Each structure stands twice: as structure tokens, then as C-alpha cells.
């Protein structure tokens, strides 16, 4: 059996899909994520590792190394994402975190944060801009994947033998 794990990348603060054999994980509990959940990396939150779950990752699971939050009705999670990634919020989390060098955030830390509520016009503008950026990022990914498939196919560089070799030499987890 496989458990689908969402992996967070800090560069874009987005989640990606990764299939991991359920037997290879030591976690007794995995949390299911839903579209528009706000996912927080417990280890890298102070570095801005927050993500809003996109529709294509709805239903995946994450390990307990992530905190999963849902915005209250009427609050777009993208607004919370922006507020949590500010230098002030991250520095406040750093002061609340445990650990030296690798700071760890838990729900008890997150719920202590006091975030300002922006005026409605600023909040709407910010959410529109983030949604527009998400659309453009998805278009860029689709374009990259499309040209990669065409390129590899036209040059005969995507074949089963090559994939088998790559799989055989994949390091153990």
C-alpha cells in the first residue's frame, strides 16, 4: 500500500505530491489534507514554510511533522498564508519555538500568534494577486511538463529501459 505524502518546498512555499510506501514510514498517524487547508511545516515554519493546499492535492496525507489548519468561514487561507510569512510573524514564531538550530513549531505556538486584520480592500487585493500568481505558476508548470515530454519523446530519451535503470539505483528511504 502507498500513502501519498505532500512535501513542502520552501522556495515556492508550495506542496508537491510524493508516493511513499506505507510500510516505509514510521508514523503511526497521518493527517488527511483538503483543498484550502493551510499546512505548516513544524520544522521550517520560521523560514516561511506555509502552504495552501491546491485542489490537485486534496485528499493526500501528511505526517505529524506538519500542522494542518483550516481558516474560519469568510477568511481566505491565502490571507493567513501571507500574514504568517511576514518577518514579524516568523520572528514571533522563532521566539515561541523549541530547539536550537532546528526550531520546532507546534499548534500551541501558532495559536498564540496575534495577527492583524487588514482592511477589506487590502485583503481582497492581496488574495486576488495570490490567486493570479497561483494560476500563472500552474500554467508555467504545465508548459514545462509539456515541452519536456515532447523533447524527450522526439529525441527518444524517455524509454522503459532508462526508467528501469533509474528505479534500480534509487537510494533506499
Amino acid at each position: 500500500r502507498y500513502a501519498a505524502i505532500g512535501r513542502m518546498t520552501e522556495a515556492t512555499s508550495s506542496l508537491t505530491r510524493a508516493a511513499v510506501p506505507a510500510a516505509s514510514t514510521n508514523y503511526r498517524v497521518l493527517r488527511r489534507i483538503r483543498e484550502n487547508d493551510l499546512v505548516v511545516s513544524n520544522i521550517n515554519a520560521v523560514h516561511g514554510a506555509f502552504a495552501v493546499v491546491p485542489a490537485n492535492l486534496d485528499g493526500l496525507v501528511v505526517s505529524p511533522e506538519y500542522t494542518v489548519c483550516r481558516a474560519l468561514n469568510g477568511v481566505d487561507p491565502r490571507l493567513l498564508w501571507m500574514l504568517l510569512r511576514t518577518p514579524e510573524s516568523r520572528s514571533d514564531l522563532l521566539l515561541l519555538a523549541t530547539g536550537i538550530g532546528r526550531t520546532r513549531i507546534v499548534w500551541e505556538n501558532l495559536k498564540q500568534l496575534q495577527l492583524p486584520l487588514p482592511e477589506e480592500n487590502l485583503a481582497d487585493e492581496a488574495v486576488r494577486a495570490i490567486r493570479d500568481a497561483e494560476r500563472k505558476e500552474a500554467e508555467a508548470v504545465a508548459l514545462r511538463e509539456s515541452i519536456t515530454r515532447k523533447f524527450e519523446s522526439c529525441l527518444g530519451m524517455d524509454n522503459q529501459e532508462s526508467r528501469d535503470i533509474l528505479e534500480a539505483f534509487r537510494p533506499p528511504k
Side-chain angles (χ1 to χ4, degrees):
R1 288 181 63 189
Y2 284 84
I5 306 292
R7 289 194 179 148
M8 186 175 295
T9 59
E10 287 183 55
T12 60
S13 203
S14 61
L15 291 171
T16 58
R17 180 186 299 256
V20 176
S24 73
T25 180
N26 294 325
Y27 299 111
R28 294 181 323 146
V29 176
L30 297 171
R31 295 184 182 107
R32 188 159 311 279
I33 56 175
R34 295 291 175 205
E35 180 180 5
N36 289 323
D37 281 352
L38 182 69
V39 178
V40 181
S41 167
N42 294 344
I43 295 173
N44 283 314
V46 298
H47 300 293
F50 301 90
V52 176
V53 177
N56 66 319
L57 299 184
D58 182 82
L60 294 184
V61 295
V62 294
S63 76
E65 294 300 326
Y66 296 92
T67 297
V68 179
C69 307
R70 292 204 172 104
L72 297 174
N73 286 336
V75 178
D76 193 296
R78 287 153 192 83
L79 185 61
L80 293 175
W81 175 83
M82 290 185 74
L83 288 166
L84 288 168
R85 288 178 52 85
T86 63
E88 183 162 338
S89 293
R90 292 186 300 125
S91 67
D92 287 349
L93 282 174
L94 187 59
L95 296 173
L96 294 168
T98 60
I100 298 172
R102 283 198 65 144
T103 52
R104 182 172 293 280
I105 296 297
V106 292
W107 171 245
E108 286 70 29
N109 305 131
L110 279 171
K111 71 180 183 179
Q112 291 181 51
L113 281 181
Q114 294 184 1
L115 301 172
L117 185 61
E119 292 183 21
E120 189 174 348
N121 60 346
L122 177 60
D124 290 345
E125 179 184 353
V127 169
R128 274 193 312 274
I130 293 302
R131 286 183 182 272
D132 187 40
E134 289 171 347
R135 278 190 294 280
K136 289 176 180 177
E137 288 169 355
E139 289 171 7
V141 166
L143 181 59
R144 240 184 326 278
E145 289 173 352
S146 173
I147 193 59
T148 297
R149 282 190 304 275
K150 181 177 181 179
F151 184 82
E152 291 172 351
S153 176
C154 288
L155 295 175
M157 297 182 77
D158 179 21
N159 55 67
Q160 191 59 49
E161 182 181 3
S162 296
R163 282 187 250 122
D164 290 344
I165 292 169
L166 292 170
E167 183 63 30
F169 285 88
R170 179 177 292 174
K173 294 193 182 225

